[in-house]
Amino acid sequence: MQIRAVSTAPFTDQKPGTSGLRKRVQVFRRPHYLENFVQSIFDTIAAPLGAVLALGGDGRYYNREAIQVILKMAAANGFGRVLVGRGGILSTPAASCVIRKYQAYGGIILSASHNPGGPDGDFGIKYNTANGGPAPEKITEAIFSASKTIAQYRIADAPDVALDALGDSKLGDMTVSVIDPVGDYAGLMESLFDFAAIRALLSGGFRLKFDAMHAVTGPYAREIFVNRLGAPSDSVINAEPLPDFGGGHPDPNLTYAHELVEALYGNDAPDFGAASDGDGDRNMILGRHFFVTPSDSLAILAANAHRVPGYKQGLAGIARSMPTSAAADRVAAALDIPCYETPTGWKFFGNLMDAGKVTLCGEESFGTGSNHIREKDGLWAVLFWLNILAARRQSVAAMTRRCEASGAGMAASHPLTQTAGFAITSDLASVADSPSRMASSSIGNVSRDVEDIVREHWAHFGRNVYSRHDYESIPNEAANGVMKLLHGRFGELQGAHLGNYKVLFCDDFSYTDPVDGSVSTGQGVRIGFTDGSRIVFRLSGTGTEGATLRIYLESYEPDVAKHRLDAQQALAELIRISLEISELRERTGRERPTVIT
Ligand code: G16
């Protein structure tokens, strides 16, 4: 096998964003573009000769071609073995699992996540380190620096490697091991959750619908939900991964996962709905006619973790990204464990998990995960919810049996039912100090219903009313203008009265990593009010066209009587204030957000 050193010139735009380098497919297909970035990764990480690399992607358009290029470059750069998912497929969480399980030196994941795919869509590439997590900023910055001075890359002259059958082959001195992309990950899930209880739930008439959005999770969801947990095969929809995601936008939110949303909000809706994104790390959770915000989801998983085998030992701590609501903070306080606030981006959780400081992490951007791997994990979140639902059903059944055995009618005998309006099967027992603060729920539906779990949670902890408004594809100049204007207004905003609110502080969030002391600045403009409400403005770091400006809105409502109010109504005044102080409409010409979640 001959190794060629190819002369090249730098590109100036290879700066990784929130999660790796994301560009249009046409950009990646420009001569040397992919190769330059891959060589910049290899030059930066300086892996020892013979090191093991994991490699796979979400199957989007250009995945296979890119895998072949990277394999030949890995061989030319001295790797000893590459573990590649069959067909070039590895979901992001599965890649993290594989890196950790086989103690790889690192991994390359090909994905633009929730961004659309196809010849005119997006492609992406990111490097994960030996802990299985996204490379921290100091590495991504070093990769960017290397990309600015690169003069040549190394690639092997060799035929393409067959990727569709499991087994080993040789590329020069390097071994290419084609591995089952699903098995290791599914096994890990089985070790964390009570599959028997979930199987019993699903066989007892509980109906699940999971939307794989024609993205990478289809085969994972089929294996886990249908083959291992016995759900009917039509529980998983859009399960065939397609290079262009069937022309859809594989982002699991209320706008883009509309097929699932229509099913869950329709007549005869299933009990539980969930969706995942292009590369399988995001999740959306729905109940019957009910949406669980990702911020609430994190808090509820934390409050119910004692119900789940993999977490019943307790949580070391919780971490959330800054724009994520403070719902999880309230649970952490009740559990008397620390809660960390990090910048947006899963890479900021890695150090905290490695140091044993946190067990659960979550972001408002539909990401939840734990220290089982070092990426957020869509199917994991779905299984966690199913496990909670199954455990609650079991505890209701056990309680019913106990009451019947004691010869007393349950409603009359259980202490929590002595007063109307108490939830009799609170899963929050370990953190509840006053059952009288629980919401009302009947025994018939408390164990079955996502909405009841959420309402019960709000009744106990109060509701962090939350919404995110995204203005997508706006001109960079206008978006930067808005951010600059806000920065310029910090002085006048401080202490200002805006409608019914008084500004307590305004700043641009910066974070000092408590483990390695690294500092990340410019992570989003925060305007905090005296009553704990917040408005956050932030530019997305994952888009490829123009800019996406995100406005995050949050208020706190302790009064159960007001919990049924629609979030947009409850936040109406904050929304109005956010538009006024940012001059967003005037500067962008946009009358309304592209996506509201
Ligand atoms: C990536 C990161 C997440 C981050 C999200 C949103 O998600 O992994 O940690 O929260 O981007 O980023 P932004 O607001 O900058 O668009 P994914 O699913 O795209 O990899």
Side-chain angles (χ1 to χ4, degrees):
M1 184 190 73
Q2 207 188 329
I3 290 171
R4 270 190 303 136
V6 180
S7 296
T8 187
F11 295 91
T12 53
D13 64 347
Q14 297 198 321
K15 184 175 172 56
T18 310
S19 182
L21 183 68
R22 290 184 192 171
K23 299 282 174 195
R24 291 279 192 227
V25 167
Q26 287 102 322
V27 173
F28 267 104
R29 290 184 116 171
R30 274 147 64 182
H32 309 310
Y33 194 88
L34 171 69
E35 292 85 346
N36 272 21
F37 192 71
V38 172
Q39 190 64 54
S40 302
I41 294 174
F42 290 159
D43 288 346
T44 301
I45 63 173
L49 210 62
V52 177
L53 185 75
L55 176 63
D58 63 12
R60 66 177 59 226
Y61 189 85
Y62 196 55
N63 193 61
R64 278 182 175 260
E65 291 94 318
I67 295 250
Q68 295 294 348
V69 168
I70 296 167
L71 283 172
K72 290 169 195 173
M73 290 186 66
N77 279 274
F79 282 90
R81 187 173 179 206
V82 177
L83 303 164
V84 56
R86 184 178 46 222
I89 296 291
L90 277 178
S91 76
T92 289
S96 185
C97 164
V98 164
I99 293 169
R100 293 169 68 81
K101 179 168 178 178
Y102 298 101
Q103 295 173 347
Y105 187 80
I108 290 182
I109 303 175
L110 304 175
S111 173
S113 189
H114 54 286
N115 297 11
D120 300 320
D122 289 344
F123 190 75
I125 175 166
K126 67 171 175 168
Y127 178 70
N128 281 30
T129 54
N131 71 350
E137 266 186 345
K138 63 175 185 295
I139 296 184
T140 56
E141 270 156 25
I143 293 170
F144 179 44
S145 295
S147 78
K148 289 191 282 193
T149 55
I150 189 168
Q152 66 167 43
Y153 60 84
R154 290 184 293 287
I155 188 161
D157 268 333
D160 282 359
V161 178
L163 294 177
D164 293 314
L166 301 181
D168 288 359
S169 62
K170 280 290 195 187
L171 192 58
D173 292 337
M174 186 181 87
T175 302
V176 178
S177 299
V178 177
I179 60 169
D180 170 14
V182 176
D184 292 319
Y185 175 81
L188 178 59
M189 293 302 108
E190 207 155 352
S191 73
L192 296 171
F193 298 107
D194 187 346
F195 269 38
I198 301 174
R199 213 177 289 121
L201 175 79
L202 295 174
S203 66
F206 183 94
R207 287 156 61 218
L208 148 83
K209 197 161 279 298
F210 177 82
D211 189 349
M213 302 188 85
H214 287 302
V216 77
T217 42
Y220 295 86
R222 270 204 186 120
E223 172 61 20
I224 293 171
F225 297 133
V226 180
N227 298 347
R228 298 196 187 200
L229 290 169
S233 61
D234 65 358
S235 309
V236 182
I237 60 171
N238 300 318
E240 197 61 46
L242 297 172
D244 65 348
F245 309 117
H249 193 144
D251 198 355
N253 60 37
L254 293 171
T255 302
Y256 296 128
H258 52 86
E259 189 178 339
L260 180 79
V261 172
E262 278 152 30
L264 267 290
Y265 281 80
N267 296 329
D268 193 30
D271 299 282
F272 181 86
S276 193
D277 68 332
D279 60 333
D281 56 2
R282 295 187 176 205
N283 74 88
M284 175 172 70
I285 303 294
L286 299 175
R288 226 181 289 116
H289 299 200
F290 194 81
F291 165 66
V292 186
T293 70
S295 295
D296 280 339
S297 183
L298 171 66
I300 290 164
L301 298 192
N304 286 274
H306 60 286
R307 292 290 200 187
V308 175
Y311 304 92
K312 65 169 186 271
Q313 303 307 334
L315 307 176
I318 306 172
R320 63 163 176 87
S321 65
M322 178 274 283
T324 304
S325 93
D329 305 35
R330 297 175 192 281
V331 178
L335 293 172
D336 197 22
I337 56 174
C339 187
Y340 297 86
E341 185 179 36
T342 64
T344 294
W346 207 261
K347 59 191 171 208
F348 293 102
F349 296 138
N351 275 352
L352 296 172
M353 287 191 272
D354 286 350
K357 289 180 179 294
V358 300
T359 309
L360 296 189
C361 306
E363 295 186 278
E364 50 64 40
S365 54
F366 296 84
T368 339
S370 86
N371 59 356
H372 66 291
I373 52 171
R374 294 294 183 272
E375 287 279 4
K376 58 188 184 280
D377 191 342
L379 286 172
W380 170 91
V382 177
L383 287 164
F384 208 126
W385 267 94
L386 290 174
N387 199 148
I388 291 170
L389 286 155
R392 288 166 72 94
R393 167 172 290 213
Q394 283 181 337
S395 57
V396 169
M399 196 182 298
T400 308
R401 277 196 303 277
R402 276 203 302 279
C403 290
E404 282 168 3
S406 73
M410 187 166 78
S413 69
H414 194 278
L416 299 188
T417 62
Q418 300 295 316
T419 308
F422 294 163
I424 62 169
T425 57
S426 171
D427 274 327
L428 305 169
S430 67
V431 291
D433 55 3
S434 167
S436 65
R437 290 159 65 200
M438 298 291 176
S440 65
S441 278
S442 76
I443 187 161
N445 63 20
V446 72
S447 65
R448 307 167 62 91
D449 204 320
V450 171
E451 179 173 350
D452 283 335
I453 293 177
V454 177
R455 292 200 182 282
E456 204 175 282
H457 186 94
W458 289 345
H460 182 72
F461 290 99
R463 178 182 177 191
N464 285 74
V465 188
Y466 189 83
S467 184
R468 185 177 103 182
H469 289 199
D470 295 339
Y471 292 80
E472 295 180 349
S473 302
I474 55 180
N476 283 314
E477 220 171 87
N480 293 332
V482 167
M483 297 305 283
K484 201 167 160 214
L485 174 78
L486 289 165
H487 276 111
R489 286 198 162 162
F490 281 174
E492 80 187 74
L493 283 174
Q494 196 71 47
H497 289 271
L498 302 171
N500 290 323
Y501 296 92
K502 184 176 179 204
V503 177
L504 178 67
F505 69 91
C506 45
D507 64 7
D508 199 339
F509 181 61
S510 75
Y511 174 68
T512 302
D513 186 303
V515 179
D516 65 13
S518 57
V519 177
S520 304
T521 55
Q523 298 293 331
V525 167
R526 306 190 293 179
I527 298 166
F529 299 94
T530 47
D531 69 345
S533 302
R534 287 196 311 175
I535 302 173
V536 174
F537 296 86
R538 200 185 140 262
L539 292 177
S540 157
T542 57
T544 57
E545 193 194 314
T548 294
L549 187 81
R550 306 199 195 284
I551 307 180
Y552 310 82
L553 304 132
E554 177 179 1
S555 67
Y556 178 64
E557 181 52 76
D559 182 357
V560 178
K562 295 187 184 153
H563 284 175
R564 289 195 175 263
L565 206 60
D566 170 70
Q568 303 309 315
Q569 275 174 281
L571 295 167
E573 190 171 359
L574 283 178
I575 295 169
R576 184 185 60 70
I577 293 169
S578 73
L579 294 174
E580 208 172 281
I581 59 177
S582 64
E583 298 178 6
L584 190 133
R585 284 185 173 153
E586 298 79 346
R587 286 166 178 266
T588 65
R590 294 288 180 86
E591 279 306 308
R592 59 189 61 83
T594 323
V595 177
I596 295 180
T597 45

